[in-house]
Amino acid sequence: DAGITQSPRYKITETGRQVTLMCHQTWSHSYMFWYRQDLGHGLRLIYYSAAADITDKGEVPDGYVVSRSKTENFPLTLESATRSQTSVYFCASSPGPSNQPQHFGDGTRLSIL
Amino acid sequence: GESVGLHLPTLSVQEGDNSIINCAYSNSASDYFIWYKQESGKGPQFIIDIRSNMDKRQGQRVTVLLNKTVKHLSLQIAATQPGDSAVYFCAENRNYGQNFVFGPGTRLSVLP
């Protein structure tokens, strides 16, 4: 029962560095999502993807880049990390369009010094 | 441990009692709702969902109630157990795109 896995689980980096968070799902779900979770906020959508090579911005996309060359992978890159991007990042997937549950990975805790 | 949720509202219940967790949603056009459970250091876990054409839906030990008139959603957990201790939050889906809107959550603490 693999499901959805994120790596690394913990990452510390410095301001200005590039960092990539990985997400892999074994369900062959069409849709994948990246969220950040911060104190005082609910989960906020960064980017999502409806299929391979199709991505779209969410609520808070600035400073992030995504790609989806394969259905099962959806990496999130911070091109030049800033302290405000310190957060817990969650990847999720769902089998189809809206009105279906999203299934989440266990997150990556990212600290930017 | 997980730092998210340190300042969340907390509901404390005795083991064996029933728990009721409430959520107000913002958009009358929302037509699909989910309750998630999040344990420390883990990702959100799907509990139960409900569509706007229903008022109530039951699962195993959980019931979700939807009141569209006042835009209110509740999660009832029967016979609360220590393993139910977690942060619970609701999510609403507005009738376009993939954007769920997530609430900040309520921390449920089960007392022995």
Side-chain angles (χ1 to χ4, degrees):
Chain A
D1 182 54
I4 186 163
T5 55
Q6 294 184 235
S7 61
R9 288 298 314 277
Y10 303 91
K11 177 74 176 178
I12 300 173
T13 191
E14 295 176 339
T15 303
R17 297 279 185 116
Q18 182 181 82
V19 59
T20 296
L21 310 184
M22 305 301 292
C23 179
H24 176 79
Q25 54 109 352
T26 59
W27 291 308
S28 299
H29 284 172
S30 296
Y31 288 80
M32 296 187 75
F33 310 84
W34 274 107
Y35 292 91
R36 59 180 292 172
Q37 188 176 43
D38 304 288
L39 278 171
H41 294 274
L43 288 162
R44 291 184 290 173
L45 182 65
I46 304 170
Y47 268 95
Y48 69 96
S49 169
D53 298 320
I54 301 174
T55 63
D56 208 347
K57 296 178 180 179
E59 179 185 354
V60 290
D62 293 344
Y64 303 96
V65 174
V66 292
S67 62
R68 189 141 178 235
S69 57
K70 292 184 178 181
T71 300
E72 62 266 30
N73 296 323
F74 190 38
L76 175 75
T77 297
L78 289 67
E79 292 190 302
S80 178
T82 65
R83 290 196 179 90
S84 66
Q85 293 177 308
T86 293
S87 187
V88 183
Y89 290 85
F90 289 99
C91 180
S93 70
S94 71
S98 57
N99 293 355
Q100 297 193 49
Q102 296 179 7
H103 301 275
F104 288 82
D106 282 336
T108 295
R109 178 185 290 276
L110 178 62
S111 297
I112 300 166
L113 307 178
Chain B
E2 189 63 67
S3 65
V4 173
L6 280 176
H7 305 293
L8 292 175
T10 298
L11 173 66
S12 297
V13 298
Q14 291 291 139
E15 182 178 353
D17 287 353
N18 296 335
S19 303
I20 300 176
I21 301 170
N22 297 304
C23 178
Y25 64 93
S26 56
N27 192 330
S28 57
S30 294
D31 61 354
Y32 178 61
F33 306 86
I34 300 177
W35 278 101
Y36 284 96
K37 172 186 180 182
Q38 187 175 21
E39 297 174 283
S40 181
K42 297 278 187 73
Q45 177 186 359
F46 169 82
I47 302 173
I48 192 167
D49 58 0
I50 188 167
R51 303 187 189 282
S52 59
N53 61 351
M54 302 173 70
D55 297 323
K56 179 180 179 179
R57 189 160 189 230
Q58 289 184 292
Q60 188 173 16
R61 280 202 308 120
V62 295
T63 301
V64 55
L65 299 177
L66 175 62
N67 185 330
K68 295 180 285 294
T69 302
V70 295
K71 293 187 287 185
H72 183 267
L73 196 66
S74 68
L75 177 71
Q76 300 178 1
I77 304 173
T80 311
Q81 302 170 359
D84 295 327
S85 293
V87 174
Y88 292 81
F89 53 88
C90 64
E92 61 180 295
N93 184 243
R94 301 177 185 181
N95 194 24
Y96 58 89
Q98 289 300 307
N99 288 3
F100 278 87
V101 175
F102 292 84
T106 297
R107 181 178 301 281
L108 176 64
S109 178
V110 181
L111 307 173

